[in-house]
Amino acid sequence: SAKSIAHNGMKNWGYHLKRLLGPIDGTTGLILRLLYGTGMRMMECLRLRVKDVDFARREILVREGKGFKDRVTMLPERLVAPLGEHLARVKTLHAADLAAGFGDVYLPWALERKYPNAAREWAWQYVFVAARRSVDPRSGAVRRHHVEAQSIQRAMRQALRLAGVSKPARQEASILVHGQRSSGAGMAPAVAGTGQDAYASRSGRCRRGGANARGGS
């Protein structure tokens, strides 16, 4: 039946995806596993703030995602420890930035003016921070932005080439990191994202891939 064919197709896709993600470690591997396990889109994942991860409840709060609505998604049990270890490293990095006179992060809307000290607080830092500090063209401030979507997409493309997987599996993997649709049963819905991280203007506000959203940029 068509339902059986679809089910078998998703089982094959799940097999290919697990085989692809196996060799990808570090921050990139963690991001890809979160995309697969939580249903987040790419930029939703990259824009996560520390305060949006609730380890006690095994939940992640996605701020103004699709349709500019907040939603809660599950934090897979198998990713609790890796994500906790990752955040411990990021916290050490943040402490070093603070000691060096940096450590503030972009805050959406007018929060930076309303709460001038919040940008340096741990809770507001990005979960997936860039390896290097850079100049924010909106303010001229030197700060650490989130990981670029392009680096995650490159890692997946390289893994696909090395694995030599079939064309259908390559298409599904592309949906994971670029995305146009949900992939159905056996995979968390809406795993994809725009993959965009360019500065643009909307309603008179400068943003980077959606900075005008509360959890944006």
Side-chain angles (χ1 to χ4, degrees), residues 168-211:
R170 290 200 302 271
Q171 292 170 340
E172 293 293 346
S174 178
I175 289 169
L176 177 66
V177 295
H178 295 282
Q180 298 297 326
R181 61 175 175 81
S182 166
S183 294
M187 184 177 189
V191 295
T194 62
Q196 299 299 313
D197 196 25
Y199 283 94
S201 175
R202 175 174 179 170
S203 301
R205 290 185 294 272
C206 288
R207 66 191 184 105
R208 187 169 190 170

Side-chain angles (χ1 to χ4, degrees), residues 32-45:
L32 289 171
R33 287 171 177 83
L34 276 172
L35 291 178
Y36 177 73
T38 66
M40 286 187 290
R41 290 168 169 76
M42 172 72 79
M43 296 311 299
E44 291 172 345
C45 182

Side-chain angles (χ1 to χ4, degrees), residues 12-108:
N12 291 336
W13 157 236
Y15 165 77
H16 283 303
L17 185 62
K18 290 176 182 177
R19 185 160 64 95
L20 281 170
L21 297 185
I24 305 177
D25 56 11
T27 299
T28 299
L30 181 56
I31 290 171
L32 289 171
R33 287 171 177 83
L34 276 172
L35 291 178
Y36 177 73
T38 66
M40 286 187 290
R41 290 168 169 76
M42 172 72 79
M43 296 311 299
E44 291 172 345
C45 182
L46 297 185
R47 293 182 188 136
L48 282 178
R49 310 279 180 149
V50 173
K51 65 185 181 62
D52 297 329
V53 181
D54 189 333
F55 284 97
R57 298 175 64 90
R58 302 294 195 263
E59 291 178 350
I60 295 175
L61 176 59
V62 180
R63 304 275 183 177
E64 293 202 1
K66 185 177 181 181
F68 294 99
K69 296 179 180 179
D70 294 352
R71 73 178 189 278
V72 174
T73 187
M74 67 175 185
L75 172 59
E77 188 67 33
R78 68 184 182 278
L79 296 180
V80 170
L83 184 57
E85 293 165 2
H86 167 82
L87 284 175
R89 292 190 293 271
V90 174
K91 192 170 187 177
T92 299
L93 183 62
H94 177 56
D97 282 348
L98 290 173
F102 301 99
D104 71 314
V105 68
Y106 169 80
L107 290 183

